[in-house]
Amino acid sequence: MSDQKQYATYNDVHNLCKQSARGPLKEFKINLIIAIGGGGYIPARILRSFLKETPDAPNIPIQAIGLSLYERLGTESVEEAPGTEVKRLQWLDINSSMANLIGKNVLIVDEVDDTRTTLKYAVEELTKDVKNAQDQLAPGDDRKNLETKFHVFVLHNKDKAKKGALPEDMTVNDQRYHAAVTTGDVWICYPWEAENIEEHDRKAKLHPIVDTKKTTIEESSTQAVQEKVV
């Protein structure tokens, strides 16, 4: 990861959620949100406001899970650092909350897709737990035959080699995966991490998040125009 820091403001987060909810996420028909703490909490709450189909529609329920990525550095010691081992800090109750996911279009929300290790863990474990919840339903329960679809939303996806993999039917052609912005492999600073929010916003003006896909498109368009002129 580059030492270069780029800054997202609360307004950036709000607008990215709004644009995504009224754009690609609308096709997902989401009726339940799972926020990965702590970076997914604020985007999830903002998304809920814009995913409502009508102003008088009921709010989409939000549930939360807590995951932390650890790296085992010694035989007994575990230090929190970018690593390969995911630890559950908070999870859904298999006997009640998990049954509520059956047959739903569930949106998993996090702030950033870095190594994809945490997202892979969340999708695989939630899928497994929903299957277990279905298996525990009484014979003849119609929910046994319902399909649960998991979708993923992140504010930023870092364009880099991933350690974790999501199901192909989720990521191919972005069928059930959406990143609002694709960035380089940079250090992203979010406003909820800032001690001095005014200073954070000042830095955001100097070092905003760079959308590499947008930059690539603009550069390609400029090159095409120049070639046409020549």
Side-chain angles (χ1 to χ4, degrees), residues 1 14 46 70 128 143 147 182 184 216 218 228:
M1 181 178 67
H14 183 97
I46 297 171
Y70 286 80
K128 188 189 305 180
R143 291 177 297 171
E147 181 184 11
T182 298
T216 301
E218 289 175 350
K228 188 174 182 181

Side-chain angles (χ1 to χ4, degrees), residues 67-137:
L67 300 174
S68 185
L69 195 58
Y70 286 80
E71 184 175 36
R72 190 171 292 277
L73 301 178
T75 55
E76 297 298 332
S77 64
V78 177
E79 295 185 15
E80 188 170 1
T84 58
E85 186 178 357
V86 179
K87 294 289 186 181
R88 291 190 188 188
L89 305 179
Q90 177 182 345
W91 201 250
L92 306 182
D93 180 67
I94 187 67
N95 296 319
S96 57
S97 299
M98 204 59 66
N100 293 331
L101 273 62
I102 296 174
K104 302 289 180 61
N105 287 318
V106 182
L107 183 64
I108 300 171
V109 178
D110 208 354
E111 85 274 44
V112 63
D113 182 355
D114 190 341
T115 64
R116 198 164 283 179
T117 307
T118 300
L119 286 172
K120 174 180 183 291
Y121 180 92
V123 171
E124 288 183 350
E125 292 300 305
L126 287 169
T127 300
K128 188 189 305 180
D129 285 351
V130 168
K131 174 65 167 57
N132 290 337
Q134 281 185 296
D135 291 343
Q136 293 176 19
L137 294 174

